[in-house]
Amino acid sequence: MNRNAGPALIVAILSALSFWIVREGAQSEPYVDWTAYDAFTQIGVAGALIAGWILFAIGLVARIRRRQLAAPWAAILAWILVALFYLQASPRGFWSDLARFRGLE
């Protein structure tokens, strides 16, 4: 098996799931009422994806440093930053909307 296949598959899966969460949040805004589905997707899944991207970035840097992956793989770090930037808005936006509409802000 090609050593690029594993990281490429992980990037594809994390990217697709991240796109789904960000899109789901954009379509559901503003969050006026708390629902289990919205909390699960915007906090639980988004949080898991954030952790997944961070762990993947750490592993990617380690594999590049050990020369197990070619240096051009470092360009994926820019994509990881983009994904993290948009994903962090999911839990923050969810809580901020609920606080605003519940008068807690």
Side-chain angles (χ1 to χ4, degrees):
M1 181 179 197
N2 184 348
R3 68 173 132 185
N4 291 320
L9 181 62
I10 292 170
V11 168
I13 291 169
L14 287 174
S15 295
L17 290 172
S18 298
F19 177 76
W20 170 66
I21 288 297
V22 170
R23 186 172 153 256
E24 189 78 18
Q27 288 178 341
S28 299
E29 286 235 333
Y31 295 102
V32 179
D33 290 322
W34 185 92
T35 65
Y37 176 78
D38 289 335
F40 175 73
T41 57
Q42 298 304 308
I43 296 171
V45 177
L49 285 169
I50 289 168
W53 277 116
I54 291 170
L55 291 172
F56 177 74
I58 292 168
L60 182 67
V61 169
R63 289 184 72 187
I64 292 169
R65 286 183 51 109
R66 283 188 252 130
R67 299 192 198 290
Q68 293 174 336
L69 287 174
W73 270 96
I76 294 295
L77 294 173
W79 177 246
I80 293 171
L81 289 175
V82 169
L84 289 174
F85 174 77
Y86 283 104
L87 276 174
Q88 62 83 26
S90 293
R92 290 181 63 194
F94 181 77
W95 285 118
S96 124
D97 283 355
L98 286 181
R100 185 173 3 150
F101 289 112
R102 302 279 177 149
L104 302 173
E105 198 171 68

